Amino acid sequence: MDRAAVQRRLDDLVQRNRFTIAVVFPAVGAVLLLASAEGLVPPPLAFQPTLILFGTLVMRLPLIAGVGPVVDRRAAVAVLALTAYAYGIELVGVRTGWPYGEFEYGIDLGPMAFGEVPVGLPVFFLPLVLNSYLLVLLLLGDATRRRAVRLLATLATVLVVDLVLDPGAVALGFWSYSNGGAYYGVPLSNYAGWVLSGTVAVVCFDLAFDRAELLARLRSCEFALDDLVSFVVLWGGVNAVYGNWASVALSVCLFAGLLRTDRFDFDVWRSQGDGFPDR
């Protein structure tokens, strides 16, 4: 089977299951994570690492399918370089506290390399940056012809994403900071670290993809940002339960951006395929 055939099948899979992937999956995931954190799930299943990694991969499918047709050798090399960077900077962070601040993982987010860093780290981190980049391209349109505009706007969006993610993750016990922090237990040093890592990732993605080709794909692929919908549903819900209202407000801002780009309509469940051939 050639690449084009694989891409068509993946597009069809995501299109037929948009509501399940983008809304049902993260909603169920949020419930399971919250139940695990509150001790309502028995130990063998509470924060089950394989389920966490599998669930994340499923929610990434729309993004993978969305950018698949424009991934060439240059983009593949950039992703590999960023993968190596993600492992390296996280290992340094866990061992030294730089650049994010002193922190440690409270649970295993899938298999752990060296017992310290999640093997699935690139699956957790890189899509957050790429989703932010795609959202900025769609929201700002022609303004993103200027590299400075798209880089700075994307970095700002990445920081908003982490202002939603980190408080929820700390509340669940995914990780914790040794000295706590002013923003729902997260220190300012974490966001300084994200400025560094976010800048590296944004620049790499900007060099990896042709803006015009990526925009053309985005305009023809209605589900490309469904992964960001999943993010809002999952982490917006978690933060709401724990009363992290500033993070909830920021997740609402992200969702407003998605609505502004006309990327998602909750009526998709009405047309979602049942997985069987038409009769």
Side-chain angles (χ1 to χ4, degrees), residues 14-187:
V14 174
Q15 186 65 51
R16 281 177 168 270
N17 297 281
R18 283 190 71 190
F19 190 80
T20 300
I21 294 172
V23 179
V24 176
F25 227 88
V28 171
V31 170
L32 288 175
L33 291 175
L34 288 165
S36 295
E38 297 303 315
L40 302 177
V41 178
L45 295 177
F47 293 126
Q48 215 287 326
T50 303
L51 285 179
I52 291 174
L53 184 55
F54 174 74
T56 303
L57 285 169
V58 170
M59 290 185 287
R60 299 297 188 239
L61 286 177
L63 180 65
I64 294 169
V67 301
V70 294
V71 173
D72 55 14
R73 183 176 297 177
R74 182 176 63 178
V77 169
V79 170
L80 288 175
L82 281 173
T83 296
Y85 171 81
Y87 285 133
I89 197 70
E90 192 75 0
L91 190 60
V92 170
V94 170
R95 291 182 176 180
T96 71
W98 184 88
Y100 305 108
E102 297 282 349
F103 77 98
E104 62 179 0
Y105 285 99
I107 65 171
D108 291 344
L109 301 177
M112 302 290 282
F114 311 109
E116 298 175 280
V117 176
V119 170
L121 181 65
V123 177
F124 300 132
F125 170 64
L126 299 187
L128 301 180
V129 180
L130 186 53
N131 278 321
S132 299
Y133 186 73
L134 301 183
L135 182 63
V136 165
L137 290 183
L138 285 172
L139 278 177
L140 300 187
D142 288 342
T144 59
R145 292 179 184 273
R146 298 175 58 191
R147 174 164 287 172
V149 170
R150 62 180 183 266
L151 293 185
L152 290 174
T154 302
L155 183 57
T157 306
V158 168
L159 288 176
V160 169
V161 165
D162 191 50
L163 285 164
V164 174
L165 170 65
D166 249 284
V170 167
L172 287 173
F174 277 17
W175 53 78
S176 61
Y177 294 88
S178 299
N179 298 316
Y183 185 73
Y184 302 122
V186 184

